[in-house]
Amino acid sequence: GFAGDEIFEPHILSPTFREYGAAAISVLADARMGGSNYDDLQSFVEENRAAGERGEMPGPLPIICNDLIVDEVQIARSAARGASAVVIQMGMLTKEK
């Protein structure tokens, strides 16, 4: 994924985001759009959990999965990988959902 590039590794980016006061980290989990993937999302989750266990301050950030969500399976996949939230495009919702 995108995070495979050394400069975008979670162990480099996450502490930087925390240091500069980010409220959360949004991971574009759609490799087709030039972003990361669900493995990268999980890497950010794991890095932030480890930071929390080490007692780093500021503490761990919520990780948001930013993908083109079209069904519940993607939400379940995001949750299984540890995402705190998902971005849902209102235009993708139907009255049933």
Side-chain angles (χ1 to χ4, degrees):
F2 189 65
D5 191 352
E6 185 177 310
I7 195 167
F8 295 109
E9 289 293 328
H11 70 278
I12 294 171
L13 280 181
S14 291
T16 303
F17 288 144
R18 289 191 299 271
E19 179 182 349
Y20 287 96
I25 298 173
S26 178
V27 178
L28 177 59
D30 187 346
R32 298 168 297 165
M33 300 297 292
S36 301
N37 57 41
Y38 283 89
D39 291 336
D40 298 324
L41 173 85
Q42 186 171 354
S43 294
F44 276 96
V45 168
E46 291 170 358
E47 193 286 326
N48 273 273
R49 283 185 185 153
E53 291 169 1
R54 292 188 300 266
E56 290 185 13
M57 294 304 287
L61 298 174
I63 306 299
I64 302 167
C65 178
N66 189 350
D67 190 2
L68 183 59
I69 303 289
V70 295
D71 63 35
E72 296 85 2
V73 173
Q74 291 168 284
I75 296 171
R77 182 183 305 137
S78 300
R81 296 296 183 107
S84 304
V86 296
V87 174
I88 298 178
Q89 304 294 326
M90 294 300 293
M92 297 300 294
L93 295 178
T94 63
K95 289 185 180 189
E96 295 82 36
K97 294 185 178 192

